[in-house]
Amino acid sequence: MTSWTDHLIILPILLPLFIGAAMLLIDERHQQIKAFANLGSIVLMGIIALLLMRAADTPTVTGAAPIAVYRLGDWPAPFAIVLVADRLSALMLALTSLLAFAATVFATAGWQRLGAHFHSLVQFLLMGLNGAFLTGDLFNLFVFFELLLAASYGLVLHGSGPARVRAGLQYIAVNLTASVLFLIGVSLIYAVTGTLNIADLAIRIPQVAAQDRALLEAGAAVLGVAFLVKAGMWPLCFWLPTTYAAAAAPVAAIFAIMSKVGIYILLRLSLLFFGADSGASAMFGANWLIAAGIATILFGLIGALASQEISRLAGYAVLVSSGTVLAVAAAAGQPAVTAAALFYLVNSTLAIAAFFMLIELLERGRDPGADMLAVTREAYGEDMPDDPDAEEVGLVIPASMAILGWCFVGCAAVIAGLPPVSGFIAKFAMLTALLGDDAAAGISPLSWTLLALLMLSGLTMLIAMTRAGIRTLWSPTERADPRVRLAEIVPIALLLLGCVAMTVQPQPALSYMQGAANSLHAPSAYTDSVLAPTPSRIKTGGGS
Amino acid sequence: MELIVSLAIAVLTGSGVWLLLRPRTFQVIIGLALLSYAVNLFIFSTGRLKIGAAAILEKGQIGAPQAFADPVPQALVLTAIVISFATTALFLVVLLASRGLTGNDHVDGRDPE
């Protein structure tokens, strides 16, 4: 193990900070330089994430998966800040950089000019996301959450216009309230346990005295509500479809990962704090998560059927995806179910992000979308003198409607979970794991409910997507083919290719997820690695 | 002292929640500010209320932790104050933009008939 690899863990946080800050100094007219810097930084982050994934997937001499721990300032763990990279966080880093890459390439075709500092805001958002995935400290989690939210406030308003400002206002109000709940939850947990280090908390929570337990559980519940707001759980999700539909297309595509941050944290913390062998509070809140997840799926399905605009349909698809992961993962008694849920999470995030960008291309040339774009151009046009000329550059691809139609079919198949694409494999894996859960004792009513719900969600999403597709692609209108540039179709194709790769080679992906789920369900490996008293800074174990 | 602090937190939270649910954007922002004051006081009180206790140990002494104020909530509350101040300022800008674009100060951008 060389010394520079030790510091790989902190790079996904430092890199976007410096690149984003440096880009603030470049004049807004030099969008190409900014786009180049942004893309370069994202590619580097992707490479780092892949290196971390490989390091986390290389078994140690003892056979356990290595968990890389980075102690800032080399202070011992419970007293200072740590960053932790295991399989799941490395996977989320890779997913984030893939989505950000696609969205940024898409934005270079025109969206980057519609407002100030698009590329810097993307970098700051990535810093917050990466930090939230890597941190091993509850209060730092709050700081990174605020960081990604602050950047997202800027991004949701990107392009301006009344619809975005109205949606942005409500989005900010909801998230500021959620941050207040976050702080209340964190401080209640601190008041009871006296620590904020996640690994230390996992050890201390089973030892909490009986009279303090109510306070601890209240704190955990308040904290959970804060994450559920981010994850878009019913009834805390009414802001989500409006905001995502109003946001600019590349922004909505990056936001597809933001609802998954809440899910990631919930998955990690609930299994660490209230896992099966955590004493008196074991499985605290699991039933609530299952019930709320089911309600979210139902609400998302009804919303998807009722939505008139495709962009709202995509927003409800985010809700269905969130609800499915939460309900299935919370119902998971064992790692196989969690692994399948993770596979579904990655898969649906890719498809939904591609769908958000595709919608913008389909809606182009239709009236409402064109209105919106015209208004925003008007609001910003005077500030950007090179806008009209720049609109004409770039390769315009022929037969755009046919290509867009195929992309739509791909997105619909993955989101609805039709065979043979990866959405089907994800659902099949979840169902197999759920049914195999307790084969000896018969199948529990909960598994039957989830099974029925997964089937129903597939059917409903298929109906909703088909209807939207017929209305958009087959309706006889006089409009000409939308002008689609190569930089707009490539990112969509890239994300869909990710789904295709998971279809063709599901085994390596599933076995990686299985490893991630195994280590999630075995909190002792996490706590041992973080709190290890060894003087060495890093314990990756692999790659010597 | 416990009673005074808890009453202060209760009054701030109650007013904050009530204002947050009002339809005017200005009321919402004041509600959020009051809520963040309440939370800051709350975080501060999780370190246990002590009068005249230092937050750091004397140099060279081991000292009993009970005799000192807990410095961690004080550090947390400092961070929370900075963040809530910054986000409130940002919200204020959006509020003004919304007022300019929609022409009224309702949170939905238009008054219900």
Side-chain angles (χ1 to χ4, degrees), chain A residues 347 413-414 417-429:
Chain A
N347 200 14
V414 176
L418 289 187
V421 293
S422 51
F424 171 72
I425 297 174
K427 286 202 169 165
F428 189 75

Side-chain angles (χ1 to χ4, degrees), chain A residues 250-482:
Chain A
V251 174
I254 307 183
F255 278 17
I257 189 86
M258 286 214 343
S259 58
K260 304 298 183 291
V261 182
I263 293 176
Y264 163 83
I265 302 288
L266 275 170
L267 208 60
R268 163 141 292 166
L269 293 191
S270 60
L271 284 172
L272 269 176
F273 293 174
F274 305 114
D277 37 82
S278 65
S281 294
M283 305 312 284
F284 169 71
N287 288 334
W288 282 101
L289 283 182
I290 297 169
I294 289 172
T296 311
I297 300 176
L298 289 175
F299 175 76
L301 292 178
I302 295 169
L305 281 180
S307 47
Q308 297 290 321
E309 304 154 42
I310 321 181
S311 47
R312 288 191 73 85
L313 168 62
Y316 285 109
V318 173
L319 291 186
V320 173
S321 145
S322 280
T324 308
V325 177
L326 273 175
V328 173
Q334 46 183 318
V337 188
T338 313
L342 289 176
F343 188 85
Y344 175 82
L345 181 148
V346 172
N347 200 14
S348 63
T349 309
L350 288 176
I352 289 171
F355 192 45
F356 269 118
M357 294 192 280
L358 184 65
I359 288 166
E360 201 273 319
L361 300 182
L362 290 173
E363 294 272 312
R364 186 176 291 177
R366 284 161 69 92
D367 284 335
D371 280 350
M372 175 91 75
L373 211 59
V375 169
T376 52
R377 290 250 164 80
E378 210 170 274
Y380 271 90
E382 290 171 352
D383 302 331
M384 317 287 161
D386 58 345
D387 195 15
D389 307 1
E391 280 304 299
E392 296 304 319
V393 300
L395 189 59
V396 177
I397 55 166
S400 55
M401 253 355 233
I403 294 173
L404 291 184
W406 276 109
C407 289
F408 189 91
V409 170
C411 285
V414 176
I415 290 174
L418 289 187
V421 293
S422 51
F424 171 72
I425 297 174
K427 286 202 169 165
F428 189 75
M430 281 195 283
L431 292 180
T432 319
L434 276 175
L435 294 185
D437 201 17
D438 35 14
I443 297 159
S444 67
L446 175 65
S447 297
W448 279 120
T449 316
L450 286 173
L451 183 135
L453 212 58
L454 283 178
M455 297 289 187
L456 181 72
S457 82
L459 176 69
T460 316
M461 286 314 285
L462 185 65
I463 294 172
M465 297 286 278
T466 313
R467 203 180 51 174
I470 290 174
R471 208 161 49 206
T472 319
L473 295 165
W474 289 352
S475 60
T477 51
E478 304 80 44
R479 68 186 173 120
D481 273 7

